[in-house]
């Protein structure tokens, strides 16, 4: 049985885009067949590429207007195309403002049952999950480290002496499963802060401050590998509990033990 993966992409384009913008977008998509190169083989990733406008008279298009059918040699080649290949990633960024909705289906010819492919991690990406695994996500970190926050709000929300965080661009976070609930409060800046958490187990996933509209603050200790990341900085040091700095030394020396 063939290992070829057929990658089917359907787009619903926005109605206000110009013909010139659409034509340029379409040409750039078709150019991917020659310009998107395999890191493994040095050859084009896309074995074949077909594209066209929906012409079906059946009322089942769900608003999708155009379709693209791409074939890849293997799942690994498709994964590289989707997560790391620079020409395709640039194309996707440039196309985002043209697309209102999309639908993607990947098939292996003749395979009708079995699990879906696992999403690969991109460079510097980390998987995360809440305590009950209802919400899962991935986030890209430039550096794998914790910034400790000693503010009173983090202490109250988390029930601990500080939280472990990192500020990242909004687009660095991708939610895979679940829909976090939102709790909004007023932050130290006087502006609103949206706190996103699992509605089942209440794990605090990330928050978004109105004062930093293009950034989010992710809870780094919920990431795979989080316990091994170093703490390299801290904020709101004035809220640090008196015993935090001496905690490790005191426990190591046996200052107080519990049964």
């Amino acid at each position: 049985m063939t290992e070829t993966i057929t990658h089917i992409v359907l787009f619903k384009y926005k109605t206000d885009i110009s013909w010139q913008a659409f034509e340029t977008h379409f040409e750039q998509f078709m150019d991917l067949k020659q310009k998107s190169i395999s890191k493994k083989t040095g050859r084009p990733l896309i074995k074949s590429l077909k594209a066209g406008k929906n012409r079906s008279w059946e009322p089942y298009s769900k608003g999708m207007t155009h379709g693209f059918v791409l074939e890849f040699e293997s799942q690994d080649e498709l994964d590289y195309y989707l997560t790391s290949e620079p020409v395709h990633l640039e194309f996707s960024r440039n196309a985002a403002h043209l697309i209102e909705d999309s639908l993607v289906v990947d098939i292996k010819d003749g395979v009708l049952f079995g699990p879906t492919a696992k999403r690969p991690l991109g460079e510097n990406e980390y998987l995360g999950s809440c305590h009950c695994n209802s919400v899962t996500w991935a986030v890209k970190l430039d550096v794998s480290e914790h910034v400790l926050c000693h503010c009173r709000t983090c202490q109250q929300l988390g029930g601990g002496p500080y939280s472990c965080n990192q500020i990242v661009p909004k687009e660095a976070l991708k939610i895979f499963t679940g829909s976090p609930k939102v709790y909004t409060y007023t932050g130290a800046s006087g502006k609103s802060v949206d706190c996103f958490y699992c509605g089942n187990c209440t794990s605090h996933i990330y928050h978004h401050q109105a004062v930093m509209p293009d950034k989010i603050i992710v809870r780094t200790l919920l990431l795979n590998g989080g316990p091994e990341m170093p703490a390299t900085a801290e904020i709101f040091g004035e809220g640090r509990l008196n015993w935090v700095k001496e905690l490790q030394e005191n426990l190591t020396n046996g200052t107080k033990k519990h049964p």
Side-chain angles (χ1 to χ4, degrees), residues 212-229:
M212 295 190 300
D214 298 326
K215 305 284 187 179
I216 59 172
I217 302 174
V218 295
R219 291 290 191 251
T220 44
L221 202 55
L222 273 63
L223 303 176
N224 289 357
E228 288 75 46
M229 294 179 186

Side-chain angles (χ1 to χ4, degrees), residues 96-108:
H97 72 285
L98 304 174
I99 298 167
E100 182 175 327
D101 201 1
S102 62
L103 188 152
V104 177
V105 177
D106 295 333
I107 63 172
K108 184 183 290 188

Side-chain angles (χ1 to χ4, degrees), residues 1-46:
M1 185 176 295
T2 179
E3 291 296 317
T4 298
I5 304 294
T6 302
H7 180 62
I8 304 168
V9 183
L10 305 179
F11 284 148
K12 177 182 180 180
Y13 290 99
K14 294 179 179 178
T15 57
D16 59 349
I17 63 176
S18 67
W19 171 250
Q20 183 179 5
F22 178 75
E23 190 173 37
T24 299
H25 160 79
F26 194 85
E27 290 175 354
Q28 290 174 344
F29 202 141
M30 301 307 291
D31 284 346
L32 291 175
K33 187 175 185 302
Q34 299 301 325
K35 294 183 177 180
S36 189
I37 303 300
S38 168
K39 186 176 182 180
K40 183 186 301 183
T41 67
R43 299 193 300 269
L45 281 164
I46 302 171

Side-chain angles (χ1 to χ4, degrees), residues 130-148:
C130 63
H131 184 262
C132 70
N133 290 312
S134 295
V135 185
T136 60
W137 63 92
V139 64
K140 184 174 182 179
L141 304 179
D142 289 337
V143 182
S144 56
E145 62 187 11
H146 303 298
V147 176
L148 308 184

